[in-house]
Amino acid sequence: MRFLITSLLFFVVLCSTHSFATQDVLGTAHYLGNEGVLVVGTQKKILFDPMFNKNFQRFSLVPESLKFKILENEAPFENIDVIFISHSHADHFDAKEVSAYLHKYQNVQLIAPTQVIEKLKLLGDDKKITTQLHEISMILGEPPKALSLAGVQVEVIRIPHVGWPESADVENLVYRVTLDDVTVMHLGDSDINSEHYLPFSRFWAKKVTHHAFIPGVFAVNTNPEQSLKAQFNVQSITYIHIPMNVPDTLHQLKVDFFSVPDEIREIINTNSSDLSSVL
């Protein structure tokens, strides 16, 4: 009897110290508004779609308090390494604000599609920031591009903007970015049609994405999230591009989404471990 009790106690302690899944916090994601997200790693910081002035009376704008912190290099927005712009629409990108920021902080790099770079050049003051601008020119169906910039590993695919094929001329980029030990993905306003993603199945499979930021149009019922995680090789999803009046369906689905600026999510790495391996 004593042996049985001792064995049970040992098993309880073992389970508490060697759980079936271990979770490591790799970084944090800070919500700005619409599809604007700050990702903070252990050393590096990146911004997705952070500066825009239109919301079409539907999506969240970046509050002035957060804009002030970004423009004044205040925590947690100090020492940004790279800014990513998904596409040139006014609810994702404002040329004057981005240009002013890059002029003020000349160590910050910008990665963006050609249509965004062209709008920056139209301002006529791009000569001082030329070395900060990194143009991604891609056609639909082109193989992924990869580059390394400011210690950040970047992979890019062009996926049609939502509303395809009518929106086929919009250069919408999907970014998979690795900073420090965390890999995140931002889909911009990607169209939901699965035919856009199937040709890149090897691309998704070759690297685990710890956290993906995906447009809310993908959250249509309870099954697609698991399908998306499998298809994109993603551990966690936070939906973005959510209307200010959050649809009831999102609450009912109990999926994670950003809707209130200044919300924060931990970026977790979940490593499954078999208990038998430690017995």
Side-chain angles (χ1 to χ4, degrees), residues 62-75 77 101 104-105:
V62 181
E64 291 301 320
S65 58
L66 290 185
K67 275 191 178 183
F68 180 84
K69 287 183 178 181
I70 295 170
L71 295 174
E72 295 303 318
N73 208 37
E74 292 188 4
F77 303 100
Y101 181 87
K104 189 171 184 178
Y105 302 107

Side-chain angles (χ1 to χ4, degrees), residues 203-229:
F203 171 79
W204 313 120
K206 76 174 184 178
K207 181 183 287 187
V208 173
T209 294
H210 300 112
H211 209 109
F213 305 100
I214 296 179
V217 293
F218 283 78
V220 293
N221 59 50
T222 54
N223 294 321
E225 177 155 328
Q226 293 307 316
S227 298
L228 286 173
K229 286 181 177 180

Side-chain angles (χ1 to χ4, degrees), residues 65-124:
S65 58
L66 290 185
K67 275 191 178 183
F68 180 84
K69 287 183 178 181
I70 295 170
L71 295 174
E72 295 303 318
N73 208 37
E74 292 188 4
F77 303 100
E78 77 278 24
N79 305 320
I80 299 297
D81 293 286
V82 186
I83 294 175
F84 296 87
I85 307 296
S86 63
H87 61 292
S88 65
H89 285 171
D91 56 336
H92 297 261
F93 166 71
D94 181 86
K96 289 183 178 179
E97 286 193 358
V98 170
S99 178
Y101 181 87
L102 293 175
H103 276 85
K104 189 171 184 178
Y105 302 107
Q106 297 197 353
N107 288 326
V108 180
Q109 305 300 305
L110 178 85
I111 297 179
T114 298
Q115 289 171 344
V116 166
I117 302 298
E118 288 175 345
K119 285 188 176 181
L120 286 169
K121 290 181 177 179
L122 284 174
L123 297 176

Side-chain angles (χ1 to χ4, degrees), residues 1-14:
M1 183 67 178
R2 180 180 296 175
F3 175 79
L4 178 60
I5 294 172
T6 302
S7 299
L8 287 172
L9 287 172
F10 173 77
F11 185 78
V12 170
V13 171
L14 188 62

